[in-house]
Amino acid sequence: MKILLTGANGYIGQRLLPLLVEAGHEVVCLVRDPRRFTLPERLREQVTVAQGDLLQPTSLQELPRDIEVAYYLVHSMSGTDQDFVQAERQSAENFTQYINRTSARQIIYLSGIANDRGLSAHLRSRRAVETVLRKAQPAALTVLRASIIIGSGSASFEIIRDLVEKLPVMITPRWLNSRCQPIGVRDVMFYLTAVLDNPDCLGQSFDIGGPDVLTYKQMLLGLAEVRGYRRYILTVPVLTPRLSSLWLFLVTSTTFSLAQSLVDSLRNDTIVATKRSISQVIRHECMGYAEALKLAFTRIEQNEVISSWTDALSSGVMERNYMDFVQIPQHGMLFDRQEMAFMRDPDEVLQNVWSIGGERGWYKVDWLWRVRGLLDKLAGGVGLRRGRRSPSDLRAGDQLDFWRVLVADRPGRRLLLYAEMKLPGEAWLQFRIVPDEVTGGHRLEQLAAFRPRGLAGRLYWYSLVPFHFIIFKGMVENIVHYGAAPNTAPVATPARA
């Protein structure tokens, strides 16, 4: 069939796409900016990338009309309650108007379980989106409502992991006693494909969940047990939703807006309702919570994390399209240039560049980078806890601590990062490996670029010049040295600043 996939560069969309292609379908991926959508070579014959923004109905005019099924995998978890509710409703209405002009016979929507009373704003919004999508004619809506999704790179998994790995003792709010029915991302993928063009699923809504009904406290302790940690949790009634959100924001890699959304939603039980269980239509044995955790950690250890919750930029950190920054401006800029020639294999040095950040660190005075990350977190920024999707691989769009990868060009031996930290200006960090005519070897070029915003930006830059001399000069030297055999030492050449 010909399938439209919205949210194709999100956490679920990236995992669903290869499954649809492997099943022989032709897929049209709807993305806001094709430049930041990396399509694997093996999928390109059966995939078309279409540009469009569901908040801009005019951008949908040129989308194909001959699609048969559409996946709606668009969610918002940022902004004020009024902002995101309005945005979700507007996106759904624009999408429905487009679908009504096509030959689509089914819409598949991944929503959240909302069987509790007094639903949070986000769960109410999910239900409101369902109501809008049901207006599509003649396409029949199939809704899959999931609780917490557990998988490598998922927001829920990463937050639980952050809490357990960082805090031996946790003082937590009452919402940790709310119950949920976590489901592995692999089982979510099964259901998303199993309902496709399934006549028993047309016009139906189903709850999906794993076999375990757990409190969030039990989930934290369950992850600790899987990892072999001893953790202690004390639940207190005094933490308000705002304080809980702030606590979650400071301790984990989430943004404050996402933390608010999660805390707001966690007060509701998200348990599969028997009468709406998908097991009545589709037989499938889902993995348990512990098994889903073990699989997630296996994927991480094997460097096979397909997608991350940050891929969709749901944090709203960058208000503009970050791919507009792939060229470093030349005017009104402040620069720090460092370089070093070397005779060792350039691919070894390139791999050191590709492994920067995360567990590897930044090759020079890591504690200063951690302090900078803490200050950024306290200022409401992303901080240094986001880490990286993979310890050894980078692609355009990846988060890298408090940077965003703009260009990851291995053949061209160039890596370009853009700062997402709180700054009085805009910052870039670029690494390039080029031939060195003097030595006959190669040279690592490192460029830190800053476009200050007013006097505050210039004061910020010049106040850090002494630290730049220590950090940036040491970085380029250590990147070249890292893992080098004694007989492949770098060639000493003057660094330029």
Side-chain angles (χ1 to χ4, degrees), residues 396-463:
D398 276 357
Q399 85 280 356
L400 180 55
D401 292 335
F402 44 47
W403 302 87
R404 179 70 62 174
V405 179
L406 298 185
V407 177
D409 180 8
R410 266 191 177 274
R413 293 172 176 163
R414 177 185 177 224
L415 177 67
L416 178 62
L417 310 177
Y418 182 86
E420 290 187 325
M421 66 192 84
K422 295 286 186 180
L423 290 170
E426 297 165 338
W428 292 257
L429 183 60
Q430 177 176 269
F431 301 91
R432 294 175 65 231
I433 295 178
V434 297
D436 186 78
E437 297 179 357
V438 176
T439 65
H442 289 81
R443 185 173 69 253
L444 173 62
E445 298 177 347
Q446 176 183 285
L447 175 66
F450 184 68
R451 179 159 59 186
R453 189 181 302 118
L455 178 61
R458 292 184 176 275
L459 290 175
Y460 171 84
W461 175 266
Y462 288 115
S463 68

Side-chain angles (χ1 to χ4, degrees), residues 338 356 361-365 369 429 431 444 446 468-481:
Q338 304 288 339
I356 199 168
W362 290 84
Y363 293 101
K364 187 68 176 180
V365 285
W369 288 93
L429 183 60
F431 301 91
L444 173 62
Q446 176 183 285
H468 289 171
F469 180 77
I470 298 171
I471 295 173
F472 291 140
K473 185 175 186 297
M475 280 177 63
V476 72
E477 292 176 354
N478 290 340
I479 290 172
V480 169
H481 277 285

Side-chain angles (χ1 to χ4, degrees), residues 150 182-188 191 209-212 284-296:
I150 301 299
I183 182 171
V185 68
R186 176 178 292 186
D187 295 314
V188 174
Y191 287 127
D212 301 317
H284 175 65
E285 185 175 347
C286 293
M287 68 179 73
Y289 176 60
E291 186 181 356
L293 288 176
K294 292 175 183 177
L295 181 60

Side-chain angles (χ1 to χ4, degrees), residues 142-212:
T142 300
V143 181
L144 295 178
R145 298 172 179 158
S147 181
I148 299 293
I149 296 177
I150 301 299
S152 56
S154 77
S156 304
F157 169 78
E158 294 298 342
I159 289 172
I160 294 170
R161 179 188 178 193
D162 266 353
L163 291 171
V164 171
E165 292 186 348
K166 292 180 172 65
L167 300 175
V169 179
M170 288 174 259
I171 299 176
T172 60
R174 286 178 297 182
W175 50 255
L176 243 68
N177 292 323
S178 297
R179 298 179 305 152
C180 63
Q181 202 159 342
I183 182 171
V185 68
R186 176 178 292 186
D187 295 314
V188 174
M189 294 299 110
F190 170 83
Y191 287 127
L192 283 171
T193 54
V195 301
L196 176 60
D197 205 34
N198 187 327
D200 294 331
C201 299
L202 300 179
Q204 302 297 315
S205 297
F206 302 103
D207 290 352
I208 60 175
D212 301 317

